[in-house]
């Protein structure tokens, strides 16, 4: 008799107990991540691999519509990526400078990744969460839209530079287009752009401007869905499928898989994210 087929993702759940033991001993350095590893298997999957959790609510015939395996990190990969953002004497993580024009930006040889999105989409909160293991790095978070007015550059060890871009839309800086368009078009060491989209509102007209710039300049970029804890399962699934269809039919440079992030109220400002920097 043929062996029963496992639903995608179930093999990983079965293998989790052994992996969790290895992770606790070898990889994770943060107390928060060790807490996550102690969660029941289904709750762990919902928190760390939210797209797999959404897949459970799709009709079996439609499950292939949800991109899950293009970028498919294991728990070990997630824990290892945590090391990039852990400040140590040999892995310095620090704020470098701010700039309102590209010719004022630091001239650095390392690769760069930038985060861009509408005002109040949760960009600074996500970056603050990424730097939660580098407490000396100050990332200002405000409930007032348009708080970030400059391009802020952060050194992430010897690996790359992270750039926090001003938000577009409501209360954007007057010179936003000149500042951001010039950076995206001319920054030679920019390797990846993370474009944040509110999972409740979906892609808005202002988001299309950023998408058009990424497409025009042939930039590789990724869409990050923020605030997934604010959406119902049905609404979030609808948004994911609609945005994936948009990416497949309307874009050329966007990574086909979305990366959802959520704010974990039990852990303060920390966010869970299935997207280590690719």
């Amino acid at each position: 008799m043929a062996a029963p087929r496992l639903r995608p993702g179930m093999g990983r759940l079965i293998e989790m107990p052994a992996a969790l033991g290895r992770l606790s001993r070898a990889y994770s350095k943060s107390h928060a991540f060790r807490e996550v590893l102690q969660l029941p298997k289904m709750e762990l999957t919902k928190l760390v691999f939210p797209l797999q959790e959404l897949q459970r609510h799709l009709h079996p015939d439609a499950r292939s519509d949800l991109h899950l395996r293009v970028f498919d990190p294991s728990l070990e990969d997630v824990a290892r990526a945590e090391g990039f953002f852990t400040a140590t004497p040999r892995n310095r993580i620090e704020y470098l400078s701010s700039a309102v024009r590209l010719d004022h930006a630091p001239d650095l040889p390392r690769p760069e990744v930038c985060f861009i999105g509408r005002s109040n989409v949760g960009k600074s909160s996500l970056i603050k969460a990424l730097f939660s293991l580098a407490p000396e790095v100050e990332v200002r978070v405000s409930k007032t839209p348009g708080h970030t007015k400059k391009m802020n550059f952060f050194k992430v060890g010897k690996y790359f530079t992270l750039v926090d871009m001003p938000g577009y839309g409501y209360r954007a800086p007057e010179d936003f287009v000149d500042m951001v368009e010039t950076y995206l078009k001319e920054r030679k060491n920019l390797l990846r752009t993370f474009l944040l989209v509110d999972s409740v509102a979906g892609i808005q007209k202002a988001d299309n401007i950023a998408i058009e710039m990424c497409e025009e300049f042939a930039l590789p970029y990724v869409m990050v869905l923020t605030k997934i804890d604010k959406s119902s399962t049905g609404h979030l699934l609808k948004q994911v499928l609609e945005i994936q269809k948009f990416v497949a039919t309307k874009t050329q440079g966007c990574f086909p898989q979305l990366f959802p992030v959520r704010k974990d109220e039990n852990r303060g400002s920390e966010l869970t994210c299935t997207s280590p920097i690719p």
Side-chain angles (χ1 to χ4, degrees):
M1 183 173 65
R5 294 178 60 190
L6 291 175
R7 194 175 71 209
M10 291 304 295
R12 173 166 293 173
L13 289 178
I14 293 172
E15 295 168 359
M16 273 187 185
L20 298 186
R22 293 195 300 272
L23 280 166
S24 297
R25 292 191 299 270
Y27 291 118
S28 182
K29 298 179 182 179
S30 77
H31 176 70
F33 194 73
R34 286 197 299 270
E35 281 187 341
V36 170
L37 297 178
Q38 302 305 315
L39 294 173
K41 288 183 293 186
M42 297 305 294
E43 190 175 347
L44 176 65
T45 299
K46 183 177 181 179
L47 193 64
V48 183
F49 303 108
L51 287 180
Q52 290 185 24
E53 169 65 17
L54 284 179
Q55 187 186 45
R56 295 195 308 112
H57 301 277
L58 275 175
H59 188 278
D61 293 341
R63 284 179 181 153
S64 61
D65 295 339
L66 197 63
H67 295 309
L68 295 175
R69 304 297 174 189
V70 183
F71 176 68
D72 189 23
S74 65
L75 285 171
E76 287 92 341
D77 293 330
V78 175
R80 199 174 290 117
E82 187 182 63
F84 292 150
F85 294 94
T86 302
T88 67
R90 299 184 63 181
N91 188 52
R92 295 184 61 187
I93 299 175
E94 57 188 345
Y95 164 78
L96 293 174
S97 65
S98 298
V100 294
R101 291 169 41 185
L102 183 58
D103 55 2
H104 293 171
D107 185 11
L108 303 169
R110 289 182 296 274
E112 283 186 1
V113 300
C114 79
F115 285 67
I116 187 171
R118 282 194 304 119
S119 299
N120 207 33
V121 76
K123 177 171 50 63
S124 294
S125 295
L126 174 55
I127 294 173
K128 184 178 178 68
L130 288 173
F131 289 146
S132 63
L133 297 180
E136 295 183 359
V137 177
E138 182 181 3
V139 180
R140 295 182 179 179
V141 177
S142 174
K143 292 183 179 180
T144 303
H147 177 76
T148 304
K149 299 295 186 182
K150 301 179 181 180
M151 300 181 288
N152 299 314
F153 293 77
F154 299 88
K155 174 185 176 183
V156 184
K158 62 182 179 181
Y159 303 107
F160 56 89
T161 301
L162 187 152
V163 187
D164 181 11
M165 307 293 284
Y168 51 81
Y170 180 65
R171 295 191 65 187
E174 292 182 2
D175 54 352
F176 172 85
V177 173
D178 291 338
M179 183 194 318
V180 174
E181 183 174 359
T182 303
Y183 172 84
L184 294 177
K185 183 178 181 179
E186 299 183 10
R187 194 66 165 176
K188 301 301 183 184
N189 54 336
L190 175 62
L191 297 188
R192 189 65 50 89
T193 297
F194 290 86
L195 198 162
L196 277 61
V197 174
D198 188 323
S199 67
V200 179
I203 295 176
Q204 302 292 294
K205 288 182 178 179
D207 296 315
N208 281 319
I209 297 174
I211 292 169
E212 288 169 5
M213 284 195 290
C214 290
E215 291 289 325
E216 180 181 352
F217 305 143
L219 300 175
Y221 63 106
V222 175
M223 284 197 194
V224 178
L225 290 185
T226 64
K227 306 179 184 181
I228 66 169
D229 50 307
K230 304 296 183 183
S231 291
S232 67
T233 299
H235 180 75
L236 179 59
L237 187 54
K238 178 175 178 287
Q239 290 283 20
V240 167
L241 293 175
E242 286 183 355
I243 295 174
Q244 280 193 165
K245 182 177 180 180
F246 175 90
V247 169
T249 59
K250 305 292 186 181
T251 73
Q252 293 184 332
C254 188
F255 197 68
Q257 184 172 327
L258 306 176
F259 294 106
V261 295
R262 66 189 299 152
K263 185 170 183 178
D264 187 346
E265 299 295 347
N266 294 325
R267 294 181 176 85
S269 63
E270 182 165 345
L271 288 89
T272 56
C273 177
T274 56
S275 173
I277 303 294

Coordinates of all heavy atoms in Angstrom, one line a residue, residues 64-116:
S64 N -2.2 25.5 -4.2 CA -1.1 25.8 -5.0 C -1.0 27.2 -5.4 O 0.0 27.7 -5.9 CB -1.1 24.9 -6.3 OG -2.3 25.2 -7.1
D65 N -2.1 28.0 -5.2 CA -2.1 29.4 -5.5 C -1.3 30.2 -4.5 O -1.0 31.4 -4.7 CB -3.5 30.0 -5.5 CG -4.4 29.4 -6.6 OD1 -3.8 28.8 -7.6 OD2 -5.6 29.4 -6.5
L66 N -1.0 29.6 -3.3 CA -0.3 30.3 -2.3 C 1.2 30.0 -2.3 O 1.6 28.9 -2.2 CB -0.8 29.9 -0.9 CG -0.5 30.9 0.3 CD1 -1.1 32.2 0.1 CD2 -1.1 30.2 1.6
H67 N 2.0 31.0 -2.6 CA 3.5 30.8 -2.8 C 4.1 30.6 -1.4 O 4.1 31.6 -0.6 CB 4.1 32.0 -3.5 CG 3.7 32.1 -4.9 ND1 3.7 31.1 -5.8 CD2 3.2 33.2 -5.6 CE1 3.3 31.5 -7.0 NE2 3.0 32.8 -6.8
L68 N 4.6 29.4 -1.1 CA 5.2 29.1 0.2 C 6.6 28.7 0.1 O 7.4 28.8 1.1 CB 4.4 28.0 0.9 CG 2.9 28.3 1.3 CD1 2.3 27.0 1.8 CD2 2.8 29.4 2.3
R69 N 7.1 28.2 -1.0 CA 8.3 27.5 -1.0 C 9.4 28.2 -1.9 O 10.5 27.6 -2.0 CB 8.1 26.1 -1.6 CG 7.1 25.3 -0.9 CD 7.5 25.0 0.6 NE 6.4 24.4 1.3 CZ 6.5 24.2 2.6 NH1 7.5 24.6 3.3 NH2 5.5 23.6 3.3
V70 N 9.1 29.4 -2.4 CA 10.2 30.1 -3.1 C 11.3 30.4 -2.2 O 12.5 30.2 -2.5 CB 9.6 31.3 -3.8 CG1 10.7 32.0 -4.6 CG2 8.4 31.0 -4.7
F71 N 10.9 31.0 -1.0 CA 11.9 31.2 0.0 C 11.4 30.5 1.3 O 10.3 30.9 1.8 CB 12.0 32.7 0.3 CG 12.9 33.1 1.5 CD1 14.3 32.9 1.4 CD2 12.4 33.6 2.6 CE1 15.1 33.2 2.5 CE2 13.2 33.9 3.7 CZ 14.6 33.7 3.6
D72 N 12.1 29.5 1.7 CA 11.5 28.6 2.7 C 12.5 28.3 3.8 O 13.1 27.2 3.9 CB 11.1 27.2 2.0 CG 10.3 26.3 2.9 OD1 9.7 26.8 3.8 OD2 10.3 25.1 2.6
P73 N 12.8 29.2 4.7 CA 13.8 29.1 5.7 C 13.3 28.0 6.8 O 12.1 28.0 7.1 CB 13.9 30.4 6.3 CG 12.6 31.1 6.1 CD 12.1 30.6 4.8
S74 N 14.3 27.3 7.2 CA 14.0 26.4 8.4 C 14.1 27.2 9.7 O 14.6 28.3 9.7 CB 15.0 25.2 8.4 OG 16.3 25.7 8.6
L75 N 13.7 26.6 10.8 CA 13.9 27.2 12.0 C 15.4 27.5 12.3 O 15.7 28.5 12.9 CB 13.3 26.4 13.2 CG 11.8 26.3 13.2 CD1 11.3 25.3 14.2 CD2 11.2 27.7 13.6
E76 N 16.2 26.6 11.9 CA 17.7 26.8 12.0 C 18.1 28.0 11.3 O 18.9 28.8 11.7 CB 18.5 25.6 11.6 CG 18.4 24.4 12.5 CD 17.3 23.4 12.2 OE1 16.3 23.9 11.4 OE2 17.3 22.3 12.6
D77 N 17.6 28.2 10.0 CA 17.9 29.4 9.2 C 17.5 30.7 9.9 O 18.2 31.7 9.9 CB 17.2 29.3 7.9 CG 17.8 28.2 7.0 OD1 18.9 27.8 7.1 OD2 17.0 27.6 6.2
V78 N 16.3 30.7 10.5 CA 15.8 31.8 11.2 C 16.6 32.2 12.4 O 17.0 33.3 12.6 CB 14.3 31.6 11.6 CG1 13.8 32.8 12.4 CG2 13.4 31.4 10.4
A79 N 17.0 31.2 13.1 CA 17.8 31.4 14.3 C 19.2 31.9 13.9 O 19.8 32.8 14.5 CB 18.0 30.1 15.1
R80 N 19.8 31.3 12.8 CA 21.1 31.7 12.3 C 21.1 33.2 11.9 O 22.0 33.9 12.1 CB 21.5 30.8 11.2 CG 23.0 30.8 10.9 CD 23.4 29.7 9.9 NE 23.2 28.4 10.4 CZ 22.4 27.5 10.0 NH1 21.6 27.8 9.0 NH2 22.3 26.3 10.5
A81 N 20.0 33.6 11.2 CA 19.8 34.9 10.7 C 19.8 35.9 11.9 O 20.2 37.1 11.7 CB 18.6 35.1 9.8
E82 N 19.3 35.4 13.0 CA 19.3 36.3 14.2 C 20.6 36.8 14.6 O 20.8 37.9 15.1 CB 18.7 35.5 15.4 CG 18.4 36.3 16.6 CD 17.9 35.4 17.7 OE1 18.6 34.5 18.1 OE2 16.7 35.6 18.2
G83 N 21.7 36.0 14.2 CA 23.0 36.4 14.6 C 23.5 37.6 13.8 O 24.3 38.4 14.3
F84 N 22.9 37.9 12.6 CA 23.3 39.1 11.9 C 22.9 40.3 12.7 O 23.6 41.4 12.6 CB 22.6 39.2 10.5 CG 23.0 38.1 9.5 CD1 22.1 37.7 8.6 CD2 24.3 37.6 9.5 CE1 22.5 36.7 7.6 CE2 24.7 36.7 8.6 CZ 23.8 36.2 7.7
F85 N 21.8 40.3 13.4 CA 21.3 41.4 14.1 C 21.6 41.4 15.6 O 21.1 42.2 16.4 CB 19.8 41.5 13.9 CG 19.4 41.8 12.5 CD1 19.1 40.7 11.7 CD2 19.4 43.1 12.0 CE1 18.7 40.9 10.3 CE2 19.0 43.3 10.7 CZ 18.7 42.2 9.8
T86 N 22.5 40.5 16.0 CA 22.9 40.5 17.4 C 24.2 41.3 17.6 O 25.3 40.9 17.0 CB 23.1 39.0 17.9 OG1 21.9 38.3 17.7 CG2 23.5 39.0 19.4
A87 N 24.2 42.3 18.4 CA 25.4 43.2 18.6 C 26.4 42.5 19.5 O 26.0 42.0 20.6 CB 25.0 44.5 19.2
T88 N 27.6 42.4 19.1 CA 28.7 41.8 19.8 C 29.9 42.7 19.5 O 29.9 43.5 18.6 CB 29.0 40.4 19.5 OG1 29.5 40.3 18.1 CG2 27.8 39.5 19.6
P89 N 31.0 42.5 20.3 CA 32.2 43.3 20.0 C 32.7 43.1 18.6 O 33.3 44.0 18.0 CB 33.2 42.8 21.1 CG 32.4 42.4 22.2 CD 31.1 41.8 21.6
R90 N 32.5 41.9 18.0 CA 33.0 41.6 16.7 C 31.9 41.8 15.6 O 32.2 41.7 14.4 CB 33.4 40.1 16.6 CG 34.6 39.8 17.6 CD 35.0 38.4 17.4 NE 35.6 38.1 16.1 CZ 36.0 36.9 15.6 NH1 36.0 35.9 16.4 NH2 36.5 36.8 14.4
N91 N 30.7 42.1 16.1 CA 29.6 42.3 15.1 C 28.9 43.6 15.5 O 27.9 43.7 16.2 CB 28.6 41.2 15.1 CG 27.5 41.3 14.0 OD1 27.9 41.5 12.9 ND2 26.3 41.2 14.4
R92 N 29.5 44.8 15.1 CA 29.0 46.1 15.5 C 27.8 46.5 14.7 O 27.8 46.4 13.5 CB 30.1 47.1 15.4 CG 31.3 46.9 16.3 CD 32.3 48.0 16.1 NE 31.7 49.3 16.5 CZ 32.4 50.5 16.4 NH1 33.6 50.5 15.8 NH2 31.8 51.6 16.7
I93 N 26.7 46.8 15.4 CA 25.5 47.3 14.8 C 25.3 48.7 15.3 O 25.2 48.9 16.5 CB 24.3 46.4 15.2 CG1 24.6 45.0 14.6 CG2 23.0 46.9 14.6 CD1 23.6 44.0 15.1
E94 N 25.2 49.7 14.4 CA 25.2 51.1 14.9 C 24.6 52.0 13.8 O 24.6 51.7 12.6 CB 26.6 51.6 15.2 CG 27.6 51.4 14.0 CD 29.0 51.7 14.4 OE1 29.2 52.3 15.5 OE2 29.9 51.4 13.7
Y95 N 24.0 53.1 14.3 CA 23.5 54.1 13.5 C 24.7 54.8 12.9 O 25.7 55.2 13.6 CB 22.7 55.1 14.3 CG 22.4 56.4 13.6 CD1 21.5 56.6 12.6 CD2 23.1 57.6 14.0 CE1 21.3 57.8 12.0 CE2 22.9 58.8 13.4 CZ 22.0 58.9 12.4 OH 21.8 60.1 11.8
L96 N 24.7 55.1 11.6 CA 25.8 55.8 10.9 C 25.5 57.3 10.7 O 26.3 58.1 11.2 CB 26.1 55.1 9.6 CG 26.7 53.7 9.7 CD1 26.8 53.1 8.3 CD2 28.0 53.6 10.4
S97 N 24.5 57.6 10.0 CA 24.2 59.0 9.6 C 22.8 59.1 9.0 O 22.2 58.1 8.6 CB 25.3 59.6 8.7 OG 25.3 58.9 7.5
S98 N 22.4 60.3 8.8 CA 21.2 60.6 8.0 C 21.5 61.5 6.9 O 22.5 62.3 6.9 CB 20.1 61.2 9.0 OG 19.8 60.4 10.0
A99 N 20.6 61.5 5.9 CA 20.9 62.3 4.7 C 19.5 62.7 4.0 O 18.6 61.9 4.1 CB 21.7 61.6 3.7
V100 N 19.5 63.9 3.5 CA 18.3 64.3 2.7 C 18.6 64.3 1.2 O 17.7 64.4 0.4 CB 17.8 65.7 3.1 CG1 17.3 65.7 4.6 CG2 19.0 66.7 2.9
R101 N 19.9 64.1 0.8 CA 20.2 64.0 -0.6 C 21.3 62.8 -0.7 O 22.0 62.5 0.2 CB 20.9 65.3 -1.0 CG 19.9 66.4 -1.2 CD 20.6 67.7 -1.4 NE 21.7 67.7 -2.3 CZ 22.5 68.7 -2.6 NH1 22.3 69.9 -2.0 NH2 23.5 68.6 -3.5
L102 N 21.3 62.2 -1.9 CA 22.2 61.1 -2.1 C 23.7 61.5 -1.9 O 24.5 60.8 -1.4 CB 22.0 60.5 -3.5 CG 22.8 59.3 -3.8 CD1 22.6 58.1 -2.8 CD2 22.5 58.8 -5.2
D103 N 24.0 62.7 -2.3 CA 25.4 63.1 -2.2 C 25.8 63.4 -0.8 O 27.0 63.7 -0.5 CB 25.7 64.3 -3.1 CG 24.8 65.5 -2.9 OD1 24.0 65.4 -2.0 OD2 25.0 66.5 -3.6
H104 N 24.8 63.4 0.2 CA 25.1 63.5 1.6 C 25.2 62.2 2.3 O 25.5 62.1 3.4 CB 24.0 64.4 2.3 CG 24.0 65.8 1.9 ND1 23.0 66.7 2.2 CD2 24.9 66.5 1.1 CE1 23.3 67.9 1.7 NE2 24.4 67.8 1.0
A105 N 24.8 61.1 1.5 CA 24.8 59.8 2.1 C 26.2 59.2 2.3 O 27.1 59.6 1.6 CB 24.0 58.8 1.2
P106 N 26.4 58.4 3.3 CA 27.8 57.8 3.5 C 28.2 57.0 2.4 O 27.4 56.2 1.8 CB 27.6 57.0 4.8 CG 26.1 56.7 4.9 CD 25.4 57.9 4.3
D107 N 29.4 57.1 2.0 CA 30.0 56.3 0.9 C 30.5 55.0 1.5 O 31.6 55.0 2.0 CB 31.1 57.1 0.2 CG 31.6 56.4 -1.1 OD1 31.0 55.4 -1.5 OD2 32.7 56.8 -1.6
L108 N 29.8 53.9 1.3 CA 30.1 52.7 2.0 C 30.3 51.5 1.0 O 29.5 51.5 0.0 CB 29.0 52.3 3.0 CG 28.7 53.3 4.1 CD1 27.5 53.0 4.8 CD2 29.9 53.4 5.0
P109 N 31.2 50.6 1.2 CA 31.4 49.5 0.2 C 30.5 48.4 0.4 O 30.3 47.6 -0.5 CB 32.9 49.1 0.5 CG 33.1 49.4 2.0 CD 32.3 50.6 2.2
R110 N 29.9 48.3 1.6 CA 29.0 47.1 1.9 C 27.7 47.2 1.0 O 27.2 48.2 0.7 CB 28.7 47.1 3.4 CG 29.8 46.7 4.3 CD 29.4 46.6 5.7 NE 28.9 47.9 6.2 CZ 29.7 48.8 6.7 NH1 31.0 48.6 6.8 NH2 29.3 50.0 7.1
P111 N 27.1 46.0 0.8 CA 25.8 46.0 0.2 C 24.8 46.7 1.0 O 24.9 46.8 2.3 CB 25.4 44.5 0.1 CG 26.7 43.8 0.3 CD 27.6 44.6 1.1
E112 N 23.7 47.3 0.4 CA 22.7 48.0 1.1 C 21.3 47.3 0.8 O 21.1 46.9 -0.3 CB 22.6 49.5 0.7 CG 23.7 50.3 1.4 CD 23.6 51.8 1.1 OE1 22.7 52.2 0.4 OE2 24.5 52.5 1.6
V113 N 20.5 47.4 1.9 CA 19.1 47.1 1.7 C 18.3 48.2 2.2 O 18.7 48.9 3.2 CB 18.7 45.8 2.4 CG1 19.5 44.6 1.9 CG2 18.9 45.9 3.9
C114 N 17.2 48.6 1.6 CA 16.4 49.7 2.1 C 15.0 49.3 2.4 O 14.4 48.4 1.7 CB 16.5 50.9 1.1 SG 15.4 50.8 -0.3
F115 N 14.3 50.0 3.3 CA 12.9 49.7 3.7 C 12.1 51.0 3.3 O 12.5 52.1 3.7 CB 12.8 49.4 5.2 CG 13.3 48.1 5.6 CD1 14.6 47.7 5.5 CD2 12.4 47.1 6.0 CE1 15.0 46.4 5.8 CE2 12.8 45.9 6.4 CZ 14.1 45.5 6.3
I116 N 11.1 50.8 2.6 CA 10.3 51.9 2.1 C 8.8 51.5 2.2 O 8.4 50.4 2.1 CB 10.6 52.3 0.6 CG1 9.9 53.5 0.2 CG2 10.3 51.1 -0.3 CD1 10.4 54.0 -1.2

